[in-house]
């Protein structure tokens, strides 16, 4: 239990690293919290600073969860499924950015990749299929918010269908619900037809 608590804290702190804010300030002298949606995620970084920055932030945010899970797998395997979730929480409520961060989409993808490699040992059903579903919805709609939620709920469905451990699938479902909650304003805009499409993703 002590190890799990320790790795929850480590995951939260690593998740709190605001790459979008760091890259914006260091290389572009821009605080992206004051631009676009104000969100510290890859989508807003791409909208404000360009496609290359957006993709870089997405990769770095995904790596936060994945790298924590690599370390946890080596040092405390029993905590791996919880440490990755803590990264997602840290990303949304970052210690280093006044607890106002992103919406944990990229971190969540890093998390399910880590689950596929280290926990379920099935990358195809755990990660690849949900990622493909996310990309299909994104290509069809250009709504990152919608495709993100669809991808994660699809991951949860795959979990209940293919995981041997339903409690693990439940964690993925909880994560999907958490990400949906973080997108509640986007959901309202989708319903009203006023949600912005992402133009920098071709």
């Amino acid at each position: 239990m002590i190890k799990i608590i320790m790795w929850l804290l480590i995951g939260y702190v690593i998740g709190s690293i605001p790459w979008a804010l760091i890259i914006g300030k260091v290389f572009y002298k821009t605080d992206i919290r004051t631009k676009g949606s104000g969100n510290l995620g890859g989508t807003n970084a791409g909208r404000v600073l360009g496609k290359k920055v957006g993709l870089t932030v997405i990769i770095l945010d995904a790596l936060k969860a994945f790298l924590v899970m690599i370390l946890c797998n080596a040092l405390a395997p029993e905590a791996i499924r919880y440490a990755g979730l803590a990264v997602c929480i840290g990303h949304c409520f970052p210690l280093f950015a006044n607890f106002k961060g992103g919406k944990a989409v990229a971190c969540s993808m890093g998390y399910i990749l880590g689950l596929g490699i280290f926990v379920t040992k099935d990358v195809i059903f755990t990660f690849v299929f949900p990622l493909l579903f996310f990309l299909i919805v994104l290509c069809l709609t250009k709504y990152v918010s919608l495709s993100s939620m669809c991808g994660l709920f699809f991951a949860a469905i795959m979990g209940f269908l293919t995981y041997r451990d339903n409690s693990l699938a439940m964690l993925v479902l909880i994560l999907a619900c958490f990400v949906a909650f973080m997108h509640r304003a986007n959901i309202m805009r989708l319903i009203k037809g006023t949600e912005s499409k992402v133009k920098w993703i071709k």
Side-chain angles (χ1 to χ4, degrees):
M1 179 59 72
I2 294 176
K3 273 191 176 182
I4 291 176
I5 293 172
M6 182 185 75
W7 278 99
L8 283 172
L9 293 173
I10 291 172
Y12 172 75
V13 171
I14 297 297
S16 291
I17 299 173
W19 285 118
L21 181 62
I22 292 169
I23 292 173
K25 283 194 170 184
V26 172
F27 296 103
Y28 296 88
K29 309 301 179 186
T30 300
D31 185 340
I32 72 165
R33 294 174 296 183
T34 65
K35 307 287 184 179
S37 66
N39 187 263
L40 287 180
T43 302
N44 194 45
R47 183 182 294 117
V48 175
L49 301 174
K51 181 177 181 179
K52 289 183 179 179
V53 176
L55 291 174
T56 299
V57 170
I58 288 170
I59 292 170
L60 290 173
D61 284 344
L63 283 174
K64 289 193 293 189
F66 186 62
L67 291 177
V68 164
M69 294 174 80
I70 289 176
L71 291 173
C72 198
N73 182 66
L75 301 173
E78 68 274 20
I80 190 169
R81 63 180 66 186
Y82 308 112
L85 283 178
V87 173
C88 298
I89 295 171
H91 178 76
C92 294
F93 306 105
L95 179 66
F96 309 121
N98 298 320
F99 303 100
K100 295 180 180 179
K103 297 177 182 176
V105 174
C107 285
S108 296
M109 289 299 175
Y111 176 68
I112 62 173
L113 175 60
L115 288 182
I117 293 175
F118 302 116
V119 183
T120 69
K121 313 295 184 182
D122 186 350
V123 177
I124 300 299
F125 284 106
T126 304
F127 175 73
V128 175
F129 281 179
L131 178 62
L132 287 176
F133 192 73
F134 162 82
L135 291 173
I136 290 169
V137 177
L138 180 60
C139 289
L140 291 175
T141 68
K142 293 297 189 296
Y143 291 128
V144 173
S145 56
L146 178 62
S147 56
S148 300
M149 290 183 284
C150 287
L152 286 171
F153 278 108
F154 187 78
I157 292 170
M158 285 290 96
F160 284 109
L161 292 176
T162 64
Y163 297 177
R164 295 180 180 179
D165 183 355
N166 277 341
S167 67
L168 181 61
M170 184 60 68
L171 286 180
V172 178
L173 178 59
I174 290 170
L175 176 60
C177 291
F178 174 69
V179 171
F181 173 76
M182 296 304 298
H183 282 85
R184 57 196 182 280
N186 303 81
I187 292 172
M188 293 306 300
R189 290 194 294 270
L190 285 167
I191 293 172
K192 294 177 181 178
T194 58
E195 175 75 336
S196 298
K197 294 185 177 182
V198 178
K199 299 178 180 178
W200 61 271
I201 296 178
K202 301 296 184 182

